[in-house]
Amino acid sequence: MDAANATTLGVAGVGVLGTLLSALLVQRAGERSRKREHERTEAAQERRTAVQETLACHIAFNAAVRQYLAALTDQIHELGRDGPDSVQQRLTAARDHHRDVYAEVQLRTSERITGLAGDLNRELGLVYGMVRRIDDGAPREGDSVAAARERLDALWRQLRDVRRQMRSDPHVPQTR
């Protein structure tokens, strides 16, 4: 075999090898691109799911606090009366439900929202204690129906502030 034929054969071999390698590289690049796109899609879906779960948690917390406040209000209206036990049962159920929802808030929301919800939770507990002591006939100094009503009004305002903060949470989509 002479040098010209060897060179032609070598060039042809390199050309065939280059064509095969090129196809392989294009295929691998396509696979990497599809994999990255799939990962981006999954990450975006996970973010959407997390936002939806956080929003659902905020909504459940708002509803639970509203139910708790309404039950406390009803209980205050019944103080000193021989009202139905259903009012006290409703208060107990609302308090228990709030406790469950608040536990979820502690795990799912930002530190800022968790702190605000914690402040609200503590105040709810203080008013609940005051109402229970008055109802049981063992009030402490400062416990009165008027004081309980004032604190309830403050709690409604505090809930409005917490809702406003929840709406401005960067982990929740803005809706108006």
Side-chain angles (χ1 to χ4, degrees):
M1 185 187 270
D2 65 5
N5 284 338
T7 302
T8 303
L9 188 59
V11 169
V14 169
V16 169
L17 185 60
T19 302
L20 292 175
L21 284 175
S22 172
L24 182 63
L25 291 174
V26 167
Q27 180 183 1
R28 284 194 176 183
E31 287 173 5
R32 281 194 304 268
S33 177
R34 282 188 295 276
K35 183 179 177 184
R36 281 193 303 269
E37 182 59 31
H38 180 69
E39 289 170 352
R40 278 194 295 270
T41 302
E42 281 184 348
Q45 181 59 39
E46 287 173 6
R47 283 190 300 276
R48 280 191 297 274
T49 299
V51 166
Q52 290 170 346
E53 288 173 352
T54 300
L55 183 58
C57 183
H58 287 177
I59 291 167
F61 180 75
N62 180 60
V65 172
R66 290 175 58 89
Q67 289 171 359
Y68 194 3
L69 286 169
L72 277 167
T73 301
D74 291 347
Q75 184 68 35
I76 288 171
H77 289 308
E78 289 299 317
L79 289 175
R81 298 181 193 160
D82 197 20
D85 288 340
S86 63
V87 174
Q88 177 59 42
Q89 291 168 350
R90 180 173 168 238
L91 177 57
T92 300
R95 181 175 181 242
D96 291 346
H97 179 66
H98 166 75
R99 186 176 341 170
D100 294 342
V101 172
Y102 175 62
E104 186 175 356
V105 165
Q106 290 175 310
L107 297 176
R108 288 195 182 267
T109 62
S110 66
E111 289 297 320
R112 180 175 61 93
I113 299 300
T114 300
L116 294 169
D119 293 343
L120 185 60
N121 184 60
R122 278 186 290 287
E123 287 299 316
L124 280 164
L126 292 173
V127 173
Y128 176 83
M130 179 187 294
V131 169
R132 292 299 304 140
R133 288 189 300 273
I134 294 169
D135 193 37
D136 291 342
R140 293 181 185 165
E141 187 176 328
D143 286 353
S144 69
V145 172
R149 284 188 176 131
E150 282 180 32
R151 290 182 94 167
L152 270 179
D153 288 343
L155 280 167
W156 281 107
R157 287 189 300 275
Q158 190 174 357
L159 176 59
R160 279 191 298 276
D161 291 339
V162 170
R163 270 195 316 261
R164 192 174 306 116
Q165 293 299 317
M166 285 178 168
R167 282 189 207 108
S168 69
D169 189 348
H171 300 99
V172 176
Q174 300 300 309
T175 57
R176 298 270 181 219

